Amino acid sequence: MRRFFFSLVCLLFSASLFSQELSQNLESYQLTVSGENIILSGYKPLSKGQVFTAYFCDQSLNVITTYTKTLPLETKSFFVAKSGELFVFSFYTVGEKVKYKIALDGAFTEKYAAVPKAEAESDDVIISDWTYDATYANEYVIGDLMLDAQLDAITCYSLKDPVQGSYKLKWKKEFDDKIYYKKMELIGINERIAYFQAVELLPECKQLFFSINIDDGDVLFNTELNKADSLDAVSVSSFFVKGNTIYLGGTFSRSEGAKYDFKPTILDNMDNLRRGFDEPSPYIIAATDGYFLMSIDAKSGAIQKMKTFNFPPIDKVVDDRDYRLAVCQGIATLSDGKMVAFYELLSTSFSGISIGSMGSGSNVGGMLKWETDGFTSLIFSSDMSTFDPTTLVWDEETSDYDLTDYDFFSLAPLQEVPHDYCTLGNDGCYPEAFTCDGTNWVFHLRSDDKLIPDYLIRGNESEMKPLKLLPPGLVLLRDVHTGIQIKEAGQSVKVKIVTVN
């Protein structure tokens, strides 16, 4: 998860509110967005977690229908996901065991409400309890299919029981001659094609970008990205398909002289904390030189053109920081025929003092903090013959920028939620998002602190500027002008549609 702590000094640009507003008294509420519909769900106050209520609304927050159910005792939390054509609510006890399940169809008609009795797992059936787990991001749900990307194979399962969350084996693609060592990640899916980035560490480091048909498991192409422009390493964080061309964006490394030796690094002796990671292993750490844009043929995977950009100058003490990164948050087409790629520029620095560990002889240094340096909008022609970058330097103070589950080869945004529909709890699950309407684009900076607002970074071909949203600022972008904002007042939950002028 990422946490932003900003100073409150920022120009507040104009914003207006739709007249529609949904206000209900709920405890432990969640907000779920599914296509054009919105679900506000939670427990009725003073019911001790027994009276569950869900409101099914349209995009204007008009309530279409309401569902209420009295649950067994000891249901302490719940999670909602789209399973096939059903909305499945899973309720958990204190011990995180599933206590109860409710399944509603698209009209919010109850199809199942009982204690789940899942079938036993077999050779071709696996059980998924639909539990959100941010530490495991190799399982992806696409409609009625689930892709499981492991070290040497990609397995596809088809949904067998949407309520119990059981899947049956559909196909499996093995890579017996490759060693990926936990570096195979889904970058995204376009139509029925899934695009993965894989890192082959032995016998030599290669970054591979390949496409696979999710219906039959056929690999359509496999391209070695870091052979382009003599790069040592390429980390793809976003892609966009336009016609017969795939555009890739991310960050790169180019050394002078000897090649990098990208080995998985076990961060022991508390070094993982000094480097900003919660867990000790394995990570691949690398210094980067800037951001890149690449075009490849969508059929053959052949690299067509590539353009690299050094990091823009930032009026901060960047040179004294550990590493810089550029994460491409999105690529889109513009109405005038041009295109835009949007990059978030990050760097790291140490803070704190050394503390001796009693009896161990080791020292714990200051925490490595990721900080936002700025944002770059790269306007380019579709044939990649012209480029016009514009950078907004981020002046707000940022600290404790948590990249816990990231390393150099794992920078793709929005991979923390393994399901195709996003559920927001009290703390949210970080719907950081980039969206573009063809003329303007918006990037959402998410804050965990109720006293500090979220920000929207708005841009077009002539400028970029930040918009500060009112706290607590739980926002999910729906299009370039619109977000959903939740405001709490005691037990009253108010949901408003926020429109950015």
Side-chain angles (χ1 to χ4, degrees):
M1 293 294 183
R2 300 183 176 188
R3 291 186 295 272
F4 294 83
F5 293 84
F6 302 128
S7 73
L8 297 178
V9 181
C10 180
L11 291 178
L12 177 60
F13 295 97
S14 59
S16 62
L17 298 178
F18 282 125
S19 59
Q20 292 88 348
E21 178 179 299
L22 177 63
S23 179
Q24 298 293 338
N25 288 332
L26 292 175
E27 294 177 345
S28 300
Y29 68 85
Q30 291 188 8
L31 180 71
T32 303
V33 177
S34 176
E36 297 299 321
N37 297 115
I38 299 167
I39 300 173
L40 176 63
S41 56
Y43 301 103
K44 283 293 186 181
L46 306 179
S47 70
K48 298 181 180 181
Q50 280 194 275
V51 181
F52 173 76
T53 301
Y55 300 91
F56 192 57
C57 311
D58 61 19
Q59 59 183 334
S60 297
L61 299 181
N62 299 310
V63 177
I64 300 173
T65 185
T66 302
Y67 175 85
T68 299
K69 192 78 172 182
T70 300
L71 305 177
L73 290 172
E74 300 178 351
T75 55
K76 301 300 183 183
S77 62
F78 68 98
F79 180 88
V80 57
K82 190 72 159 29
S83 180
E85 298 301 319
L86 299 178
F87 297 102
V88 178
F89 298 82
S90 298
F91 299 86
Y92 300 89
T93 64
V94 176
E96 298 183 353
K97 294 183 179 180
V98 177
K99 179 72 174 180
Y100 199 77
K101 281 194 176 185
I102 294 174
L104 308 178
D105 63 13
F108 246 42
T109 301
E110 182 183 287
K111 296 298 182 180
Y112 179 90
V115 178
K117 296 180 181 180
E119 62 180 292
E121 295 191 30
S122 61
D123 292 337
D124 62 348
V125 175
I126 66 170
I127 306 298
S128 173
D129 61 3
W130 294 101
T131 303
Y132 167 62
D133 184 359
T135 63
Y136 183 73
N138 281 7
E139 187 176 276
Y140 310 93
V141 175
I142 310 98
D144 290 348
L145 300 179
M146 180 172 64
L147 291 175
D148 188 332
Q150 295 297 327
L151 311 187
D152 56 358
I154 297 176
T155 308
C156 181
Y157 300 90
S158 59
L159 187 64
K160 181 180 180 182
D161 184 344
V163 176
Q164 309 301 338
S166 61
Y167 288 84
K168 186 174 183 179
L169 179 67
K170 184 175 177 66
W171 53 261
K172 184 174 184 178
K173 177 64 178 178
E174 296 182 313
F175 306 92
D176 295 332
D177 58 337
K178 305 296 180 183
I179 301 176
Y180 293 112
Y181 200 81
K182 291 188 178 179
K183 298 302 168 189
M184 182 183 293
E185 184 175 18
L186 178 71
I187 302 299
I189 295 176
N190 182 68
E191 295 181 346
R192 306 298 291 177
I193 307 299
Y195 296 91
F196 284 86
Q197 175 179 246
V199 181
E200 179 186 339
L201 297 175
L202 297 173
E204 58 182 308
C205 184
K206 297 179 182 179
Q207 291 91 67
L208 307 172
F209 184 77
F210 65 93
S211 64
I212 188 168
N213 190 311
I214 64 175
D215 291 316
D216 54 24
D218 287 344
V219 175
L220 305 181
F221 66 76
N222 193 341
T223 301
E224 183 182 347
L225 295 181
N226 58 319
K227 69 179 181 180
D229 203 22
S230 301
L231 298 180
D232 287 320
V234 170
S235 181
V236 178
S237 46
S238 189
F239 82 103
F240 183 78
V241 180
K242 181 181 180 182
N244 293 322
T245 303
I246 302 174
Y247 297 91
L248 306 176
T251 193
F252 74 92
S253 292
R254 180 190 287 119
S255 66
E256 297 180 1
K259 288 268 187 181
Y260 285 123
D261 187 9
F262 295 106
K263 293 181 178 180
T265 301
I266 306 299
L267 302 175
D268 55 6
N269 197 28
M270 305 299 288
D271 191 51
N272 59 296
L273 298 179
R274 289 192 291 270
R275 303 211 60 84
F277 297 106
D278 287 344
E279 301 296 330
S281 63
Y283 295 98
I284 297 178
I285 310 298
T288 64
D289 296 294
Y291 58 97
F292 77 90
L293 186 70
M294 180 187 296
S295 63
I296 66 176
D297 186 271
K299 299 296 183 181
S300 65
I303 297 174
Q304 297 173 337
K305 292 185 179 181
M306 179 165 185
K307 180 69 173 179
T308 59
F309 303 85
N310 294 328
F311 284 112
I314 303 292
D315 189 17
K316 292 184 178 181
V317 193
V318 173
D319 292 339
D320 292 340
R321 294 182 180 174
D322 198 11
Y323 292 124
R324 300 183 71 180
L325 291 173
V327 179
C328 183
Q329 294 288 351
I331 305 173
T333 57
L334 301 178
S335 55
D336 59 5
K338 298 179 182 179
M339 300 183 68
V340 59
F342 184 81
Y343 298 83
E344 183 181 8
L345 308 179
L346 311 169
S347 64
T348 64
S349 62
F350 286 98
S351 66
I353 59 176
S354 297
I355 302 174
S357 299
M358 184 179 298
S360 67
S362 63
N363 291 320
V364 179
M367 174 68 76
L368 184 71
K369 297 181 182 296
W370 295 90
E371 302 193 8
T372 300
D373 289 330
F375 307 91
T376 293
S377 291
L378 178 63
I379 310 298
F380 63 99
S381 58
S382 59
D383 63 357
M384 291 185 61
S385 60
T386 60
F387 303 90
D388 183 18
T390 300
T391 297
L392 169 67
V393 178
W394 189 247
D395 294 326
E396 307 302 322
E397 290 293 330
T398 62
S399 63
D400 198 20
Y401 193 115
D402 190 351
L403 290 177
T404 299
D405 299 319
Y406 292 73
D407 62 22
F408 179 72
F409 296 118
S410 182
L411 291 171
L414 292 177
Q415 295 300 330
E416 295 175 332
V417 182
H419 304 293
D420 52 351
Y421 290 92
C422 178
T423 297
L424 301 178
N426 287 331
D427 295 327
C429 56
Y430 285 77
E432 291 181 315
F434 170 83
T435 185
C436 177
D437 68 354
T439 303
N440 305 281
W441 47 91
V442 170
F443 175 66
H444 174 209
L445 262 67
R446 174 76 171 86
S447 173
D448 243 357
D449 194 326
K450 291 185 178 181
L451 301 177
I452 299 175
D454 285 5
Y455 285 86
L456 296 181
I457 306 301
R458 294 191 58 225
N460 53 42
E461 291 192 53
S462 60
E463 66 174 352
M464 275 194 293
K465 58 185 180 182
L467 169 72
K468 181 172 66 176
L469 296 176
L470 298 176
L474 184 54
V475 174
L476 177 63
L477 293 180
R478 294 179 62 81
D479 56 49
V480 72
H481 295 298
T482 306
I484 298 174
Q485 183 162 356
I486 294 179
K487 297 200 68 176
E488 291 183 86
Q491 294 176 337
S492 177
V493 180
K494 293 184 178 180
V495 182
K496 291 184 179 180
I497 300 293
V498 179
T499 299
V500 181
N501 293 327

